[in-house]
Amino acid sequence: MELTAAYPKAVRDRQWYRLDNAGKLYPALSTAKWDSVFRISAAMKQDIEPKRLQRAVDSVMPRFVTMNTQLCKGVFWYYLEENPKRLLIQEDQIVPCAALSWREKNGHLMRVLYAGRRLSVEYFHAITDGAGAMVFLKTLIAEYLRLRGTSIPCEDGILDLRSKPVATELEDAFQRMPLPKNIKRTIEGSAYRFPGEKMTSPHARSITTYCMSASQVKEKAKSIGATLTEYLTAAILLVGYQEQEKENPRKKLPVRVSVPINMRQVFPTDSLRNCSWFVNPEIAPPFGDLTLESITAQVRSFMKEALLPENLYAGIAPNVASENSLLLRLAPLPIKNLVIRSVHKAMGIKMVTTTLSNLGLFKAPAAMMEEIEWVDVVLGPTKGAGTGAALITTGDRLRLTYTSNQETPVLPGAFERLLRQEGLSITKEVLWG
Amino acid sequence: MSSTAVFSFFLIRLIIVFGRISSSTMDRAHDFFSLMHRKFHF
């Protein structure tokens, strides 16, 4: 395999793109040892052939123009510039979701990894979100399978490599949304955080996957009138409540779960960039006697209100307004970075107890589904001490993966016990740590 | 060789050389302004 290959282009011929609204935050928060990175993996039914995978990557990368980029520093903002260097696949031996070396010259903002039957792609959150990442992974797998002789149609989110990128794929959809004017940001107070010191090594993390039957969990959720996400969110809230009761602190805090929402379901766009918002269902003190059923009812009623398009737009509006304010735009990049880091340190980390990201049902053409056993999504560790989860369903296989950088994370074990008590059958796999 | 032919030869050479210089200067200027545009966008 070639070590490197470049297609030299003059600066004037290299495309460049402004970062999207959410994407602007991640480089500012990034350090040499930590980036906001997430991974989506697919377990194929046969071992990955590296040479063929590299050929598939070579074919797919030019189609995803905003992902085939490097991050450059401007005077006022970071920006993406077409990366002249070829993205080389790597054997999956490194720590999952390790920081990317984007500060290096022509450093890519994603990596493609393989190990046995598992194909993984890790993305820097500045270039895309879960839904955009899924389009890339599906298109890559489709091309890989085509090179092996399987015919895969371009449907279910697989892009046609012969077509040119359309403008909506590259857009920051937040800028086009019908956002209300003069909306003030609602600042939620501090939330309960699970106990546990942050591991000392920046590479240390524990990644545990819980495999369940999606239909079994859905049935359980349906029996108490909830969706799968609402049910699992309620389970995490209950664990948070129980842990806080055990600790019995002088001042009890709300337990709050951040649930990302794919805004493409609300606003029609083909954007491959960040297009997610989040809602934060919570239970607040005084708690009273809480059960999974009562919390689920609370989450359900919260979600019903929060997921109304006007409420989602009202949440996004202050962020877009600040990005577009002349004062902030004219502030030099180091000042912006300082402000973003301070605000994140003061509020961002403390505002939520944990995260639960549901990427939904993995859909692909039948010929491709036959070659895939399961798909998995792994969140990178948080900057401060914390534990977060992400899930995805392939057929009836629901895989929920916890990532933690805490010495002894409380949440995954307690969550597993709770679901077992609820009568769900779970198997556990440890990916790392 | 007539003086017209000599004059034409040198004139054509001059145009070619000047053309090369101006094209590379234009490219450099283009590169410079492209870079400045992305570095200073706000």
Side-chain angles (χ1 to χ4, degrees):
Chain A
M1 198 179 300
E2 286 175 79
L3 280 176
T4 185
Y7 44 102
K9 263 189 184 179
V11 178
R12 61 185 176 276
D13 296 326
R14 283 186 210 164
Q15 288 296 318
W16 71 282
Y17 311 92
R18 290 161 194 261
L19 284 171
D20 55 64
N21 181 275
K24 285 188 165 104
L25 300 177
Y26 300 110
L29 299 174
S30 161
T31 64
K33 291 173 184 167
W34 182 88
D35 277 330
S36 184
V37 174
F38 64 97
R39 162 195 284 231
I40 306 185
S41 308
M44 309 299 288
K45 290 196 176 152
Q46 290 177 38
D47 277 354
I48 303 288
E49 297 169 47
K51 278 186 182 168
R52 216 159 258 174
L53 178 62
Q54 182 64 61
R55 277 175 61 203
V57 170
D58 293 344
S59 307
V60 168
M61 283 309 279
R63 177 65 182 79
F64 288 80
V65 288
T66 52
M67 296 188 194
N68 190 20
T69 49
Q70 56 187 319
L71 194 60
C72 302
K73 229 178 197 177
V75 174
F76 301 104
W77 295 109
Y78 287 99
Y79 62 92
L80 299 172
E81 191 180 84
E82 185 183 340
N83 198 332
K85 197 172 158 189
R86 182 188 189 199
L87 177 67
L88 295 175
I89 61 168
Q90 298 168 50
E91 216 174 331
D92 194 358
Q93 291 170 327
I94 55 167
V95 188
C97 302
L100 290 145
S101 37
W102 60 265
R103 287 174 184 81
E104 286 172 14
K105 195 179 177 218
N106 301 145
H108 276 280
L109 304 172
M110 58 195 291
R111 47 171 91 93
V112 177
L113 306 153
Y114 66 94
R117 291 183 296 122
R118 196 178 64 221
L119 161 63
S120 308
V121 187
E122 293 185 345
Y123 307 83
F124 186 24
H125 224 321
I127 52 167
T128 191
D129 59 6
M134 192 55 84
V135 174
F136 179 87
L137 181 75
K138 282 184 193 177
T139 309
L140 176 64
I141 296 174
E143 184 60 14
Y144 171 74
L145 292 174
R146 279 185 208 121
L147 291 172
R148 272 187 32 196
T150 315
S151 168
I152 308 286
C154 294
E155 54 190 42
D156 292 322
I158 296 170
L159 296 188
D160 186 349
L161 298 181
R162 290 162 302 181
S163 67
K164 289 225 162 111
V166 291
T168 49
E169 284 175 19
L170 320 180
E171 74 173 348
D172 176 6
F174 280 14
Q175 301 291 346
R176 214 161 49 81
M177 286 177 186
L179 304 177
K181 298 250 174 340
N182 302 322
I183 295 274
K184 281 199 176 162
R185 196 185 301 272
T186 43
I187 296 170
E188 293 168 310
S190 293
Y192 169 72
R193 303 281 300 168
F194 286 103
E197 288 297 307
K198 192 179 168 188
M199 293 179 190
T200 42
S201 161
H203 296 303
R205 63 209 56 189
S206 61
I207 300 173
T208 315
T209 302
Y210 295 104
C211 314
M212 297 168 245
S213 152
S215 54
Q216 201 187 14
V217 183
K218 266 185 199 161
E219 210 169 289
K220 197 84 198 164
K222 209 177 162 189
S223 71
I224 48 173
T227 63
L228 189 138
T229 310
E230 286 164 356
Y231 177 74
L232 295 174
T233 306
I236 294 174
L237 287 171
L238 181 62
V239 170
Y241 157 72
Q242 287 169 342
E243 288 303 319
Q244 191 170 199
E245 288 296 300
K246 261 191 233 166
E247 282 175 43
N248 200 17
R250 208 179 302 158
K251 189 190 170 198
K252 288 190 178 161
L253 293 169
V255 184
R256 199 175 286 140
V257 179
S258 176
V259 181
I261 304 296
N262 179 7
M263 287 302 290
R264 295 167 187 85
Q265 292 167 351
V266 180
F267 183 78
T269 175
D270 301 322
S271 179
L272 295 171
R273 308 182 73 182
N274 284 295
C275 189
S276 301
W277 188 239
F278 53 86
V279 292
N280 298 336
E282 65 167 27
I283 46 169
F287 292 114
D289 226 6
L290 291 173
T291 61
L292 188 56
E293 284 75 16
S294 67
I295 297 176
T296 308
Q298 280 189 49
V299 172
R300 189 162 171 68
S301 104
F302 171 88
M303 289 292 210
K304 204 175 164 190
E305 186 73 16
L307 295 183
L308 291 171
E310 58 268 31
N311 290 337
L312 291 168
Y313 291 144
I316 295 169
N319 272 27
V320 175
S322 344
E323 182 197 354
N324 294 341
S325 88
L326 193 63
L327 190 72
L328 192 80
R329 280 162 56 196
L330 285 174
L333 188 62
I335 308 269
K336 281 192 188 97
N337 287 347
L338 204 69
V339 171
I340 292 171
R341 272 179 220 148
S342 318
V343 171
H344 183 258
K345 202 170 178 184
M347 286 159 44
I349 303 170
K350 294 176 190 165
M351 261 173 55
V352 292
T353 305
T354 184
T355 304
L356 178 70
S357 180
N358 184 359
L359 264 71
L361 183 67
F362 178 82
K363 282 186 205 154
M368 191 161 139
M369 290 303 282
E370 274 173 26
E371 301 282 341
I372 298 173
E373 213 155 288
W374 48 255
V375 179
D376 213 2
V377 52
V378 180
L379 299 180
T382 48
K383 199 171 182 184
T387 304
L391 70 130
I392 188 162
T393 308
T394 318
D396 192 41
R397 285 166 182 248
L398 188 157
R399 292 177 66 87
L400 186 147
T401 304
Y402 273 106
T403 306
S404 180
N405 57 8
Q406 291 177 297
E407 288 286 357
T408 44
V410 175
L411 177 59
F415 178 81
E416 183 190 351
R417 280 193 295 279
L418 177 68
L419 293 193
R420 280 190 199 282
Q421 278 167 18
E422 284 290 304
L424 296 172
S425 46
I426 306 174
T427 54
K428 182 178 163 183
E429 290 171 18
V430 176
L431 175 69
W432 196 267
Chain B
M1 208 184 298
S2 72
S3 61
T4 316
V6 173
F7 178 74
S8 303
F9 173 78
F10 280 109
L11 187 66
I12 289 163
R13 285 292 302 162
L14 200 67
I15 289 167
I16 290 169
V17 170
F18 184 75
R20 271 187 201 149
I21 291 169
S22 82
S23 139
S24 76
T25 309
M26 287 295 283
D27 285 348
R28 271 186 213 153
H30 194 167
D31 270 350
F32 176 77
F33 286 112
S34 301
L35 191 65
M36 288 304 109
H37 181 210
R38 54 195 80 176
K39 287 282 177 202
F40 283 88
H41 83 276
F42 68 95

